[in-house]
Amino acid sequence: MSAPASGLAQIGKSVFIKGELSGSEDLYLDGQVEGSIALKGNSLTVGPNGQVKASVDAKGVVVQGKLEGNIQASDRVELRKSAIVTGDISTQRISIEEGAYLKGKVDIHRADTK
């Protein structure tokens, strides 16, 4: 992700947030967050400088940096080669690039589990 798209919020690498983070637009996070992140119908991208210690609830999650906490994604999780993830992942689809680090369990669920 090189240029910011419209409808995309950004948190720069010098920003530190502690607490609950929620929103209704896609978020590109290159700073530090401790607490919880809730983006129910939107996507979270943790940039290469991003350091997250939070539980994440989003539609899609892309991790390039470090994420410590559980991920609940209603659609898709992507772990890029530079990703370091410690925590459990629950999603419909997952992509893990060679070189990514994951410590935790992965739970793949179907959209129509009724």
Side-chain angles (χ1 to χ4, degrees):
M1 186 172 270
S2 55
S6 60
L8 176 72
Q10 287 191 313
I11 295 175
K13 58 183 171 183
S14 66
V15 178
F16 175 77
I17 296 173
K18 190 169 189 172
E20 295 178 18
L21 180 60
S22 63
S24 57
E25 60 187 312
D26 293 345
L27 176 64
Y28 181 84
L29 194 158
D30 219 17
Q32 295 183 50
V33 173
E34 278 186 28
S36 66
I37 300 173
L39 302 168
K40 291 279 188 191
N42 299 92
S43 296
L44 168 69
T45 300
V46 178
N49 299 306
Q51 294 192 16
V52 177
K53 286 186 181 179
S55 58
V56 176
D57 189 356
K59 180 180 178 185
V61 178
V62 177
V63 182
Q64 299 172 349
K66 187 173 183 179
L67 192 147
E68 197 175 311
N70 295 337
I71 300 172
Q72 173 78 41
S74 59
D75 183 38
R76 179 179 175 89
V77 173
E78 286 183 47
L79 304 183
R80 300 282 167 85
K81 63 182 174 187
S82 57
I84 300 171
V85 176
T86 307
D88 298 340
I89 298 173
S90 178
T91 186
Q92 286 185 40
R93 299 180 295 152
I94 188 164
S95 167
I96 304 174
E97 286 186 2
E98 188 175 333
Y101 174 84
L102 170 62
K103 183 174 184 180
K105 71 177 180 126
V106 177
D107 180 24
I108 306 291
H109 55 85
R110 294 194 185 282
D112 52 356
T113 49
K114 291 185 181 179

